[in-house]
Amino acid sequence: MSVDTTSVLSSLFWKFLERSSVQLVSFLVAIVLARILSPEDYGMIALVIVFVNLANVIVEGGLNTALIQKKEADQTDFSTIFYASLFLAAFLYCFLYFSADAIAVFYNNKELISVVRVIGLSLFFFAVNSVQKAFLSRRLLFRKLFYSSLGAVLLSGVVGIVMAYQGAGVWALVAQSMISQIATTLIMWYTVKWRPTWEFSSSRFSSLFSYGWKIFVSNFIINLFINIRSLLIGKVYSAGALAYFDRGKQFPSLIIENINNSIQTVIFPVLSKEQENLTIIQAMVRRSIKMSSFIIFPLVFGLATSAEPIVRTLLTDKWIGAVPFIQIFCAAYLLMPMQVANMEAIKALGFSGTTLKLETLKKVIELIILLVSVPLGVEAIAWGVVFYNAISLFINARPNKKLLNYGFKEQITDVMPPFLMSMIMGASILLVNSLLEDSLVTLLFDICVGFIVYIVLSVVSRNETFIYLLKILKK
């Protein structure tokens, strides 16, 4: 079976449009809310989201990924995972409900009790939504996902802003989070032509679980270590410090997650269908790394060099403490697309055991880095992420040297042209910053100069990915 390039590119377009539109609206809503609410409100919700995110990983349990990876998944498979996910959601909600008091005592904040118990209800909607998304991913129906996600974020954003203006504080963020999950699930329920049937197969569950549990453990470890920093910062330092840390991480994440999630969601099911054709997989992994790097590098360099005027213009001076964290996380996430592409290739080929081994090794390293950095301050914790991601890049790329003959050295060679062009672009933005004082004017000039410099460099150097993208756009 050959890959339908038009179908893949169309799916990638709709997935990227879905992620970018949702993230853009979420970002605009977050700016408005940040201007109204205090960093402490954001710090409180960040603590609770840690527990809910970890519970969500358990609810999905790698079973969503197993549904996508399985060559022939039928109605019985989907219904089985649907009921299994709901059962896990119910169990975990009960655990969160009765753990709320202990969480509040740990952080010395009684208001966390009710916040945890309300946001925990989103687990049920996430359970349903994870199966719906698996159904869409297998069929590359990302246009439907675009409509549901955008509708949900618009509705939840309006409610959150209205409540914030009315003085609801942290509950404005709680309502925004809950309504987003509920609306996404309900819209997809009426747009996706899939319904669960009254059937559950223990043998199908065992088969899917045998693949999915390794992905689950890998994802749980990843999320645990992503969120454990927030737990430690909130406990050792303060909710305000956590808010600056999270806000600094949010800006580069907006860029990285859009592109990474789009590539990951589209490429994984396609690679899974081609798991016996290593030549096609190697070509697609290489293309995804080149394209994502060409797009991400200038955005990340531009964000790092324009961080201060961005914060002063969009969030006001009360968030100026987030500037160094924006710059640090830009460095941390720069080569993340390479990591994601490598891991998706390994998973698609069916080596979920290899994925688990790699994640276990990386998390041992990450734990050591985290333990060393926590006593040194919040910025040291952020720099630890940079160091860890640099090591992870090499670890993730190594298996693909053997599997696809596309290792670390070849990948670095492929991304070097956009990296060098982005460095030159970043230097031009720093020059603009040194000449101007007004934050809004500086930001506007940064955007214009950065865009022009990068495009000119792409044309002059006849960058291969730039030419490829132009051809795709012409088609």
Side-chain angles (χ1 to χ4, degrees):
M1 180 180 63
S2 61
V3 175
D4 183 350
T5 306
T6 303
S7 176
V8 173
L9 289 174
S10 174
S11 300
L12 189 57
F13 166 77
W14 280 106
K15 183 58 188 177
F16 180 71
L17 184 61
E18 181 257 333
R19 292 308 308 165
S20 58
S21 61
V22 167
Q23 291 290 345
L24 178 60
V25 174
S26 298
F27 181 65
L28 294 174
V29 170
I31 289 173
V32 176
L33 291 174
R35 297 174 73 94
I36 304 170
L37 303 174
S38 68
E40 287 70 24
D41 289 328
Y42 272 93
M44 190 188 304
I45 201 71
L47 290 173
V48 176
I49 290 297
V50 167
F51 297 100
V52 176
N53 284 344
L54 290 174
N56 277 341
V57 175
I58 298 174
V59 168
E60 186 175 305
L63 299 174
N64 171 288
T65 306
L67 279 175
I68 300 172
Q69 197 273 343
K70 187 177 180 181
K71 273 199 167 185
E72 300 294 336
D74 58 19
Q75 178 65 25
T76 302
D77 292 309
F78 276 88
S79 295
T80 297
I81 299 307
F82 176 81
Y83 294 117
S85 298
L86 280 178
F87 174 80
L88 279 172
F91 174 80
L92 288 167
Y93 178 72
C94 290
F95 180 79
L96 279 178
Y97 185 92
F98 291 109
S99 300
D101 289 304
I103 294 172
V105 170
F106 184 74
Y107 287 106
N108 194 28
N109 188 337
K110 289 185 178 180
E111 192 173 1
L112 288 176
I113 296 176
S114 50
V115 173
V116 168
R117 288 174 176 173
V118 172
I119 288 190
L121 291 169
S122 64
L123 291 174
F124 294 99
F125 299 98
F126 181 83
V128 176
N129 193 241
S130 66
V131 179
Q132 292 173 321
K133 287 183 177 179
F135 182 86
L136 293 180
S137 295
R138 283 189 63 89
R139 289 156 180 79
L140 302 180
L141 301 174
F142 295 105
R143 183 183 301 194
K144 294 181 182 293
L145 186 59
F146 164 74
Y147 296 134
S148 63
S149 299
L150 184 58
V153 76
L154 285 171
L155 177 62
S156 63
V158 170
V159 173
I161 291 172
V162 170
M163 290 184 64
Y165 270 116
Q166 293 178 344
V170 70
W171 286 101
L173 299 173
V174 173
Q176 181 194 14
S177 177
M178 283 295 301
I179 291 174
S180 177
Q181 284 288 344
I182 294 171
T184 299
T185 304
L186 292 179
I187 293 172
M188 290 184 69
W189 188 261
Y190 287 103
T191 57
V192 176
K193 302 302 180 183
W194 176 82
R195 295 291 184 273
T197 50
W198 292 105
E199 53 184 328
F200 183 94
S201 170
S202 56
S203 61
R204 298 289 185 91
F205 178 81
S206 298
S207 174
L208 291 164
F209 185 74
S210 66
Y211 173 88
W213 78 265
K214 300 166 189 175
I215 302 299
F216 155 67
V217 174
S218 300
N219 290 341
F220 185 80
I221 292 172
I222 291 170
N223 278 272
L224 176 63
F225 276 82
I226 288 174
N227 290 293
I228 200 171
R229 292 184 177 87
S230 296
L231 292 174
L232 291 173
I233 293 170
K235 178 62 178 177
V236 177
Y237 296 96
S238 67
L242 174 58
Y244 292 135
F245 180 89
D246 271 9
R247 182 64 64 197
K249 182 170 63 174
Q250 183 189 40
F251 277 83
S253 292
L254 178 69
I255 298 171
I256 301 301
E257 288 182 6
N258 274 331
I259 298 172
N260 271 357
N261 187 276
S262 300
I263 293 172
Q264 183 177 359
T265 307
V266 175
I267 294 299
F268 178 67
V270 174
L271 293 181
S272 296
K273 292 177 181 178
E274 295 291 332
Q275 56 190 272
E276 296 175 359
N277 194 328
L278 299 183
T279 302
I280 290 179
I281 291 182
Q282 195 244 43
M284 295 188 69
V285 170
R286 188 174 187 185
R287 177 61 67 190
S288 69
I289 286 176
K290 284 185 173 184
M291 288 183 64
S292 59
S293 299
F294 181 82
I295 297 170
I296 283 177
F297 285 1
L299 294 175
V300 170
F301 270 90
L303 177 59
T305 50
S306 303
E308 185 171 339
I310 288 174
V311 170
R312 291 190 186 278
T313 302
L314 300 180
L315 303 179
T316 72
D317 289 350
K318 70 180 178 181
W319 286 94
I320 201 68
V323 170
F325 294 106
I326 292 174
Q327 295 168 333
I328 293 170
F329 279 107
C330 281
Y333 292 157
L334 185 64
L335 297 177
M336 190 65 73
M338 293 174 62
Q339 292 193 45
V340 171
N342 279 298
M343 293 305 291
E344 291 308 304
I346 294 170
K347 286 194 296 183
L349 289 169
F351 294 101
S352 58
T354 300
T355 303
L356 178 57
K357 291 176 184 177
L358 293 179
E359 289 303 329
T360 303
L361 171 61
K362 289 189 297 183
K363 294 319 168 190
V364 170
I365 296 171
E366 186 173 9
L367 180 60
I368 295 171
I369 295 172
L370 181 59
L371 293 176
V372 172
S373 63
V374 167
L376 301 178
V378 183
E379 285 193 25
I381 295 173
W383 277 112
V385 180
V386 179
F387 187 48
Y388 163 73
N389 280 346
I391 297 173
S392 296
L393 176 62
F394 176 78
I395 294 175
N396 285 356
R398 187 164 184 174
N400 283 325
K401 178 65 177 177
K402 180 179 179 181
L403 295 174
L404 302 174
N405 194 30
Y406 185 50
F408 179 78
K409 183 178 178 181
E410 293 83 3
Q411 292 175 28
I412 291 295
T413 301
D414 282 343
V415 303
M416 191 54 65
F419 180 82
L420 294 176
M421 292 191 300
S422 299
M423 283 189 65
I424 296 171
M425 183 206 73
S428 67
I429 292 176
L430 289 176
L431 178 61
V432 171
N433 292 348
S434 67
L435 298 174
L436 301 173
E437 293 184 1
D438 182 86
S439 296
L440 178 58
V441 174
T442 301
L443 180 57
L444 293 175
F445 269 90
D446 284 350
I447 294 171
C448 294
V449 170
F451 179 79
I452 292 171
V453 169
Y454 193 71
I455 294 298
V456 169
L457 290 172
S458 299
V459 173
V460 171
S461 65
R462 296 189 59 79
N463 182 269
E464 183 262 340
T465 303
F466 178 70
I467 295 171
Y468 176 80
L469 289 173
L470 286 179
K471 290 180 180 178
I472 294 298
L473 290 174
K474 287 179 181 179
K475 290 182 180 180

